[in-house]
Amino acid sequence: MKSRVHVIAPYATMVPVVSECCALFPELIIRTSVGSLEDGVNIAIKEECATDIFISRGTTAKLIKNAVKKPVIDMHISGYDLIRSLSLASNLTTKSALIGMQSITHVAKAIIGLMDIPISIYTVEHLEEIPPLILELKNKGFKQIIGDRLVTHISETYGLKGFLIQSSKETILQALERAKQINEYKNYADVPSKIFEQIVQSKYKNIVVLSKENHIIYEHFSTLNFTRDLKDHLYILNTDMNDTKPRASKLLVVDNDVIEIKGYYVSEFGYKLFVLKKYNHLINQHGLTVQTHSLHKPVIKESSSIQHVYKQVELLFKHKEPILLVGEQGTGKDFISTYIHEKHEDGLLLTIDFKYFDINQLNTLPIQYVRTIKLKHCELIEEVEVLSAFIQNCLEKHIHMFVLCEHNYQFESFEWLKCNKIQLPTLQERKEDIVPLIHYFLSKFHEEYGTTPVKIKNKSLTLLEETNYPFNIDDLHSIMKQIVLNEKDYIIQHETVERILKQQSHCLKPISLKGTLKEIEREIIELVLKEENFNQSKTAERLGINRATLWRKLKNEGN
């Protein structure tokens, strides 16, 4: 196998010499760039993934070694290189000095002694010694400084002539020969690892390995695209693993496919291995949703009534008992069930809404990856036996079950489920939570819409606390949204709150149950229409009827 060799030349005139040598090494893929010191380092960092071996010289080679993890060959300055350079430099009658490490100056002293060249030699042990030494030589009358690219660069900065020691073709050939030897050894040593790699890749289609520093040092994907979102989930899982917890796993949904990530911590090396597996098309039916993003809302439970609810739900959830959450619209049934699932389970949360889902498809659902299921609108089901068998199957597989209802009568025909019924309090029954919710909505809308107000007066808080909210948190959310969008001051004015409450008063009146069924129906339709900004399509969808039926009812009301 050919090795990819990247020669980073510290000076441009080295490039044609390297090109002459390339034909002699057909087992190497050789590329050349020009860059000295930090420029060379930046090239190496950028090209590391596409390079097996780097070749450079002197200080540039040393800096590259510290920046990359690939082998770096240093083209050492040979005696022949020094003879050529010193002979050329001595042709000038200016006062000259050579500066370098001992490996260079030791040979240079011998050459100068034999050839009787009038050039002074100065040895440095650290790169930091070079600038003050050059300045000192300038003050002593030296005009020309001989050395590598760093020495000549600093010399020219101080106004002196820099004479670069160039590498001969023989030196470049020696460096490429060393690269060839490394390639031969690498190919020989890599045979076992390549065999094991093929075995691993045949079993695991998607693999990632992280180093101690949490850098990706190996990745292979054949059935997945390693997207930014997928990488973020992997790094989140990575933080959960250590010596005391060597394994971790996570399930998520991407483009309707379930992705399972399993992580393994290899303590002997400090590395972490991640195996990713895709399960095709788990959910693609109308009425099914999978929770793919974590909740980012605060849990507000200042009132004792809601604290008791959370305590009950959590206890029953831990024992994997089916839970019936009964509560009016906006009391938080969805939020609480999702929050409890996320707190205690890493698997998938599936919601089945029988308003849209065909119950005859229940048995086709691949629930082996699901840890919690929420059922909505069970009162619409006629095939009770199908639902009963499905729920029993889920419980046997230790899947958590939530049933969500707005009213007790909706669940009367399903008493056989023997769910643990928990009644959620209305917002009026948990008044202690209204102010924290207001403050949360104030911050939320500021973040989402860039609204101006950041504070609300106590007088306005009291008024909002005393307001009746038929749709509970949903109503409060809607009212606060209108308030912050209409307020131009940093502090919400009481007049703004009063005006918005007056405008929204039609939405805050509970539905009257007096009158005929047709009159009650009309009141409900009008209320939903206003909430949906008179969008008939959305109104029909919420009411569970088609648009033609809604149009007919509205027409009849007008007659």
Side-chain angles (χ1 to χ4, degrees):
M1 184 181 292
K2 293 184 177 183
S3 274
R4 299 164 297 176
V5 177
H6 197 137
V7 180
I8 300 180
Y11 54 92
T13 53
M14 182 186 285
V15 175
V17 184
V18 174
S19 298
E20 288 180 31
C21 301
C22 289
L24 302 174
F25 298 91
E27 56 278 280
L28 303 178
I29 301 171
I30 303 170
R31 290 190 301 149
T32 308
S33 299
V34 179
S36 65
L37 306 175
E38 292 300 331
D39 289 339
V41 171
N42 292 334
I43 292 172
I45 292 172
K46 183 180 178 181
E47 299 295 329
E48 183 172 10
C49 291
T51 305
D52 299 312
I53 303 169
F54 286 103
I55 297 177
S56 194
R57 199 188 79 164
T59 306
T60 303
K62 289 183 176 65
L63 293 173
I64 292 174
K65 282 182 181 178
N66 294 330
V68 300
K69 291 182 171 59
K70 299 294 177 67
V72 180
I73 296 173
D74 187 350
M75 287 186 287
H76 297 295
I77 296 174
S78 68
Y80 177 63
D81 296 336
L82 283 171
I83 291 172
R84 283 195 320 144
S85 298
L86 291 172
S87 297
L88 289 169
S90 64
N91 290 333
L92 297 176
T93 57
T94 55
K95 191 175 182 180
S96 302
L98 182 146
I99 298 175
M101 299 292 182
Q102 188 175 9
S103 59
I104 295 176
T105 57
H106 177 71
V107 178
K109 283 179 182 178
I111 293 171
I112 287 172
L114 288 171
M115 298 178 65
D116 193 24
I117 300 174
I119 294 176
S120 301
I121 304 294
Y122 293 89
T123 302
V124 294
E125 295 182 0
H126 305 287
L127 300 179
E128 294 79 9
E129 301 173 29
I130 296 174
L133 174 57
I134 291 175
L135 186 59
E136 181 185 339
L137 294 175
K138 180 180 180 180
N139 293 333
K140 288 181 178 181
F142 283 86
K143 302 296 183 182
Q144 178 178 247
I145 305 297
I146 305 163
D148 65 7
R149 191 67 189 89
L150 177 62
V151 170
T152 58
H153 174 72
I154 297 173
S155 300
E156 291 165 357
T157 302
Y158 285 143
L160 300 175
K161 175 176 173 49
F163 191 95
L164 179 67
I165 302 173
Q166 296 197 22
S167 296
S168 63
K169 183 177 180 180
E170 289 72 20
T171 299
I172 294 170
L173 285 170
Q174 287 178 4
L176 290 172
E177 185 63 35
R178 289 169 61 193
K180 175 184 173 181
Q181 293 171 358
I182 291 174
N183 178 54
E184 291 173 350
Y185 174 76
K186 179 174 172 290
N187 286 338
Y188 173 78
D190 277 356
V191 170
S193 63
K194 290 295 181 184
I195 293 173
F196 286 120
E197 183 179 8
Q198 289 184 10
I199 293 172
V200 170
Q201 289 182 4
S202 66
K203 185 176 182 180
Y204 303 108
K205 304 301 181 183
N206 311 287
I207 310 172
V208 178
V209 179
L210 297 186
S211 66
K212 291 180 181 178
E213 296 79 22
N214 294 323
H215 298 311
I216 295 176
I217 59 172
Y218 179 81
E219 62 178 84
H220 169 74
F221 286 88
S222 62
T223 63
L224 280 174
N225 292 321
F226 197 29
T227 61
R228 176 76 260 177
D229 187 49
L230 201 55
K231 188 177 291 187
D232 289 342
H233 281 290
L234 186 145
Y235 277 114
I236 292 171
L237 187 64
N238 174 50
T239 60
D240 290 339
M241 294 193 298
N242 48 49
D243 286 319
T244 58
K245 189 182 178 184
R247 294 189 179 188
S249 63
K250 184 177 183 66
L251 282 171
L252 56 143
V253 175
V254 178
D255 296 331
N256 210 34
D257 297 325
V258 173
I259 308 298
E260 179 186 45
I261 308 176
K262 288 186 177 181
Y264 305 89
Y265 178 61
V266 186
S267 57
E268 291 84 353
F269 305 102
Y271 283 17
K272 293 172 183 176
L273 168 69
F274 296 90
V275 177
L276 298 88
K277 190 173 182 180
K278 180 172 77 168
Y279 302 95
N280 294 328
H281 306 301
L282 171 71
I283 307 300
N284 59 359
Q285 300 181 50
H286 197 44
L288 298 180
T289 55
V290 177
Q291 182 78 14
T292 57
H293 299 289
S294 298
L295 286 173
H296 296 292
K297 299 178 183 178
V299 179
I300 295 173
K301 47 180 181 178
E302 298 293 322
S303 64
S304 58
S305 58
I306 199 66
Q307 287 175 14
H308 182 63
V309 166
Y310 273 96
K311 190 174 181 179
Q312 284 182 300
V313 174
E314 196 158 3
L315 180 63
L316 293 169
F317 189 88
K318 287 180 179 179
H319 286 82
K320 294 184 173 60
E321 294 193 28
I323 303 170
L324 168 63
L325 294 181
V326 180
E328 297 176 3
Q329 178 184 327
T331 49
K333 300 182 292 296
D334 255 320
F335 177 83
I336 292 173
S337 51
T338 301
Y339 167 77
I340 296 296
H341 163 81
E342 288 190 356
K343 184 177 179 181
H344 297 285
E345 280 290 352
D346 293 325
L348 297 179
L349 167 60
L350 173 66
T351 300
I352 305 175
D353 189 342
F354 291 107
K355 196 173 186 179
Y356 309 102
F357 181 73
D358 182 0
I359 192 171
N360 295 314
Q361 300 297 318
L362 270 180
N363 294 328
T364 66
L365 292 180
I367 59 174
Q368 60 267 41
Y369 317 118
V370 177
R371 300 310 313 138
T372 303
I373 294 178
K374 285 197 276 190
L375 304 178
K376 292 183 175 180
H377 295 108
C378 290
E379 70 277 5
L380 301 176
I381 297 173
E382 296 180 358
E383 298 85 350
V384 177
E385 296 78 9
V386 177
L387 178 62
S388 174
F390 174 75
I391 292 176
Q392 188 59 39
N393 182 37
C394 292
L395 294 176
E396 289 174 0
K397 294 180 182 299
H398 302 290
I399 296 174
H400 304 279
M401 298 295 298
F402 282 101
V403 180
L404 276 51
C405 287
E406 288 192 9
H407 305 286
N408 284 314
Y409 69 83
Q410 294 175 329
F411 200 73
E412 288 176 357
S413 59
F414 293 93
E415 292 295 336
W416 51 268
L417 280 179
K418 295 183 172 53
C419 283
N420 298 275
K421 176 184 168 184
I422 297 178
Q423 183 75 45
L424 270 64
T426 64
L427 197 54
Q428 295 302 116
E429 296 170 323
R430 45 181 295 202
K431 282 186 174 290
E432 301 94 327
D433 297 316
I434 293 178
V435 171
L437 283 167
I438 290 171
H439 289 308
Y440 164 63
F441 291 143
L442 190 61
S443 300
K444 173 178 178 283
F445 292 132
H446 177 74
E447 184 177 352
E448 287 183 5
Y449 304 113
T451 49
T452 302
V454 295
K455 194 173 182 180
I456 185 168
K457 294 180 178 180
N458 289 334
K459 183 180 179 182
S460 298
L461 287 173
T462 302
L463 176 59
L464 288 167
E465 279 183 300
E466 294 173 350
T467 300
N468 181 45
Y469 302 99
F471 296 126
N472 302 288
I473 298 175
D474 290 351
D475 275 339
L476 181 59
H477 180 276
S478 176
I479 292 296
M480 282 305 300
K481 183 176 181 179
Q482 293 303 314
I483 289 172
V484 298
L485 288 173
N486 283 274
E487 181 57 70
K488 297 179 181 179
D489 203 342
Y490 287 109
I491 299 176
I492 294 174
Q493 301 300 305
H494 191 65
E495 294 76 16
T496 305
V497 176
E498 288 182 319
R499 185 175 74 254
I500 297 301
L501 285 177
K502 186 176 180 180
Q503 292 172 357
Q504 298 290 320
S505 60
H506 63 276
C507 293
L508 298 179
K509 294 177 182 177
I511 297 171
S512 173
L513 296 180
K514 296 179 180 180
T516 65
L517 180 61
K518 187 175 181 180
E519 290 171 337
I520 295 172
E521 183 183 70
R522 182 171 65 246
E523 188 176 352
I524 293 172
I525 291 174
E526 289 175 351
L527 180 60
V528 176
L529 262 174
K530 290 174 183 176
E531 285 189 355
E532 297 296 344
N533 295 318
F534 297 94
N535 185 312
Q536 292 190 13
S537 296
K538 291 183 178 180
T539 301
E541 183 179 353
R542 272 189 57 183
L543 292 172
I545 58 178
N546 59 44
R547 189 172 177 179
T549 302
L550 176 65
W551 180 83
R552 189 168 58 253
K553 289 180 179 291
L554 291 172
K555 184 181 178 182
N556 291 337
E557 287 172 10
N559 294 335

